Each structure stands twice: as C-alpha cells, then as structure tokens.
Amino acid sequence: MGSRRKGRIIAFQAIFSWDFNNNNIDELVNFCLANESNKKIKEDSILFARLISKGTIDNINEIDKKIKQHISNWDFKRIAKVDLAILRLSTYSLIFQKDIAANIVIDEAIDISKEYSSEESYRFINGVLDSIHKKINEK
C-alpha cells in the first residue's frame, strides 16, 4: 500500500470520527495512528494524513456546500457517515490539491469505499466526485 493511500485511510478515519464528536482533528489523527501502531507507517503517510484531514475540516463548509450541489435527488443528511467522510476528504483534494490528478483522487475514493463502505456506495461516490470534478474543470 502506497504512503499516500495509507495517509488517506488515516485521514478518512479521523474525519469519520470528527463527524460524531467534533474533536480536534490532530487528536483524532493521533488516535487513528495509535490504532495502527502494530504496523509501520511512514512519516510521509502521517504528514499527508495530517495535511488532508486538517485541510478538510478547515474548509468543511465550502466542501459540504460543493457536495450538496452535486447530489441530485438525495438529502445530504441521509448520506452514510462513511460515504460522507470519503466524499469530504476527496472533495478537499479535488478543490485544493491541484497537484494530484483528479482520476487518482477519485480512484482512491472508490477503493476506500469498496473497503470500508457498503457494496454499492462506490457508485454513488464516483458519481458525486466525477460531477464535482467536471464542474471545477469548467472554470
């Protein structure tokens, strides 16, 4: 598993936890890292996890607004918390991390959803992120 993939998974777990208790995101990343203590995690994975989780939470209002604009016929409050965490993390990357190709961000989101979410969630996540990506590229 690549270092960025591991970082995304740690960030996803931290953002998922944040949605329930709004704790300090750095503390949540540390908690997720502690749960992975039996595995060697590279320093660049940890730094990447901190960067994208903090960036996501710092820009959560803009990110949620963008997601809401791209979920047709769906209530934002009804999105599964796992899917929402993946969408938030990936939307942050699409908006703010222009150095990372959109197809990589979307592929990673799909892979994480296949591992951590329901069987069909990856289709929903793919559709929303693809829509967001296309809208960003229009500008």
Side-chain angles (χ1 to χ4, degrees), residues 75-86:
D75 182 0
F76 183 80
K77 293 176 181 147
R78 292 189 58 223
I79 298 174
K81 296 295 184 186
V82 169
D83 296 347
L84 184 57
I86 296 168

Side-chain angles (χ1 to χ4, degrees), residues 52-93:
I52 60 178
S53 58
K54 182 162 178 23
T56 299
I57 300 308
D58 287 350
N59 295 284
I60 198 72
N61 291 331
E62 181 179 350
I63 289 166
D64 284 355
K65 181 179 175 188
K66 187 72 73 178
I67 293 168
K68 287 174 186 174
Q69 292 169 348
H70 294 274
I71 51 169
S72 55
N73 302 319
W74 198 258
D75 182 0
F76 183 80
K77 293 176 181 147
R78 292 189 58 223
I79 298 174
K81 296 295 184 186
V82 169
D83 296 347
L84 184 57
I86 296 168
L87 284 171
R88 284 173 163 168
L89 173 70
S90 303
T91 300
Y92 167 78
S93 291

Side-chain angles (χ1 to χ4, degrees), residues 16-70:
F16 175 81
S17 299
W18 176 87
D19 202 26
F20 289 98
N21 55 29
N22 291 340
N23 280 0
N24 178 291
I25 194 66
D26 289 326
E27 291 173 14
L28 292 169
V29 169
N30 289 339
F31 177 77
C32 293
L33 286 168
N35 286 338
E36 300 285 329
S37 63
N38 59 337
K39 302 172 188 162
K40 274 197 160 183
I41 300 174
K42 296 178 182 176
E43 186 64 27
D44 55 342
S45 294
I46 296 169
L47 293 173
F48 188 65
R50 290 187 193 289
L51 171 78
I52 60 178
S53 58
K54 182 162 178 23
T56 299
I57 300 308
D58 287 350
N59 295 284
I60 198 72
N61 291 331
E62 181 179 350
I63 289 166
D64 284 355
K65 181 179 175 188
K66 187 72 73 178
I67 293 168
K68 287 174 186 174
Q69 292 169 348
H70 294 274

